[in-house]
Amino acid sequence: MTSRDADPFVTHRNLLFTVAYEMLGSAADAEDVVQETWLRWAAVDHAEIQEPRAYLVRIVTRQALNRLRTLSRRREDYVGEWLPEPLLTAPDVAEDVELAESVSMAMLTVLETLGPTERAVFVLREVFDMPYDEIATAVGKTSAAVRQIALRARNHVASRRPRHDVDRVEQQAVVERFLAAVQTGDLQALMDAMAPDILLRADGGGIAQAIRKPLSGSEPVARLLANFTVFAPDGVLDLVWLNGAPAALIRAKGELTAVSFGFENGLISNLYVVRNPHKLTALDSEARLSRES
């Protein structure tokens, strides 16, 4: 089959998944939305679709919006902090700086502060540079309204957007130092790798043990992490790439934990600790397959 004959859904599947994931912050929900989009695509006469890419993006956006509104209500009752579902990525994703930033845990956490329509408009316009008229059709608004929504969303995100001033090589180096310090319980080495005002957020979902409120400050965070070898002497830490950046998977006492990082001025400024097993099922399976291959 030539590229000319390729099914547009197959051609644009990665785009559709990324749109859904950035809107929902959940790989599992994004996969469900992409599957729903395929079912709708399979049910229409493709000969009548003049712009398949725009049509598919419109369908995936509408499906993601419907799911996002439902999820937003559920998250109001969520136990403790809610963090996005980590996504296992290849190291070369980091070479596309804009894409890596858009799927970073830091950016996804900022996007959680937007309303559903604002989030959809921001993702489609700022990340994928889609025309306003296409976005308007996708979200059921006028082009003028979409321009206003985009402006509000852009200003909202800009005031909260994390500053990425550390290149990927430096990021990996500081993460490696940090993980070595965790494994040895070296309090000073931990503090040296972290910004003074570091913020740790943990998501256990009421299922796995995790702190319920964010913990701030390099000394309190370092003291908490320095106990790792005491509570999990047989724990294993692996450097992996999550959401386009170096991260860690921790296996201890039969449980999996994903740790993502935010960076600023050459130091770790944020820790995103996901312990909710429902958010780690796919990640655990993919990590196991990659180790076996």
Side-chain angles (χ1 to χ4, degrees):
M1 178 181 288
T2 66
S3 58
R4 180 179 300 176
D5 299 325
D7 185 338
F9 178 86
V10 176
T11 301
H12 301 301
R13 193 187 189 287
N14 288 342
L15 167 66
L16 301 177
F17 174 84
T18 306
V19 169
Y21 176 69
E22 292 194 22
M23 286 182 60
L24 298 169
S26 165
D29 286 313
E31 286 289 1
D32 288 345
V33 164
V34 171
Q35 180 65 18
E36 291 166 3
T37 301
W38 180 83
L39 292 173
R40 291 173 181 270
W41 171 251
V44 300
D45 183 353
H46 298 172
E48 296 181 356
I49 308 299
Q50 295 183 351
E51 298 182 7
R53 178 177 181 272
Y55 178 87
L56 288 165
V57 169
R58 180 166 70 248
I59 298 303
V60 82
T61 299
R62 289 178 176 176
Q63 295 298 314
L65 272 173
N66 291 338
R67 184 162 296 221
L68 184 57
R69 292 181 179 116
T70 300
L71 293 174
S72 295
R73 291 191 292 271
R74 292 178 187 172
R75 289 171 190 172
E76 293 176 0
D77 300 322
Y78 197 79
V79 178
E81 289 280 307
W82 188 95
L83 291 175
E85 179 183 337
L87 182 67
L88 192 66
T89 54
D92 58 7
V93 170
E95 297 174 6
D96 187 336
V97 177
E98 291 185 0
L99 177 61
E101 180 182 359
S102 72
V103 298
S104 70
M105 291 293 281
M107 177 57 75
L108 290 173
T109 303
V110 172
L111 293 182
E112 280 296 312
T113 64
L114 292 172
T117 302
E118 288 180 320
R119 184 167 183 168
V121 169
F122 180 87
V123 168
L124 295 177
R125 181 61 186 174
E126 299 300 317
V127 179
F128 298 104
D129 197 28
M130 291 187 179
Y132 287 111
D133 56 347
E134 286 187 22
I135 300 174
T137 302
V139 300
K141 303 284 185 180
T142 65
S143 292
V146 164
R147 288 178 182 274
Q148 291 299 315
I149 293 170
L151 178 60
R152 290 198 306 269
R154 189 183 308 121
N155 291 337
H156 179 93
V157 172
S159 66
R160 297 165 174 79
R161 183 191 293 268
R163 296 188 297 275
H164 290 282
D165 58 354
V166 183
D167 67 35
R168 301 298 169 177
V169 174
E170 291 178 309
Q171 287 183 7
Q172 183 167 342
V174 71
V175 168
E176 289 174 345
R177 294 203 315 271
F178 173 85
L179 296 180
V182 170
Q183 290 177 297
T184 59
D186 189 329
L187 186 65
Q188 187 59 53
L190 280 167
M191 294 179 64
D192 290 343
M194 299 186 296
D197 59 349
I198 187 172
L199 183 67
L200 183 154
R201 299 172 61 186
D203 178 349
I207 303 171
Q209 184 176 3
I211 58 174
R212 296 288 182 88
K213 296 181 180 180
L215 182 63
S216 178
S218 58
E219 185 172 351
V221 171
R223 290 192 180 282
L224 174 66
L225 298 176
N227 290 319
F228 174 76
T229 54
V230 176
F231 292 108
D234 298 323
V236 177
L237 286 77
D238 291 321
L239 178 69
V240 296
W241 285 77
L242 299 177
N243 298 80
L249 286 184
I250 302 174
R251 299 178 189 278
K253 298 182 178 180
E255 296 181 346
L256 182 68
T257 300
V259 183
S260 298
F261 305 90
F263 305 90
E264 190 172 329
N265 297 324
L267 299 171
I268 296 170
S269 59
N270 287 273
L271 286 171
Y272 306 95
V273 182
V274 178
R275 304 208 67 234
N276 184 341
H278 293 165
K279 297 184 178 183
L280 300 172
T281 302
L283 183 62
D284 191 19
S285 299
E286 291 175 3
R288 290 179 188 276
L289 286 174
S290 65
R291 289 202 309 275
E292 294 171 359
S293 61

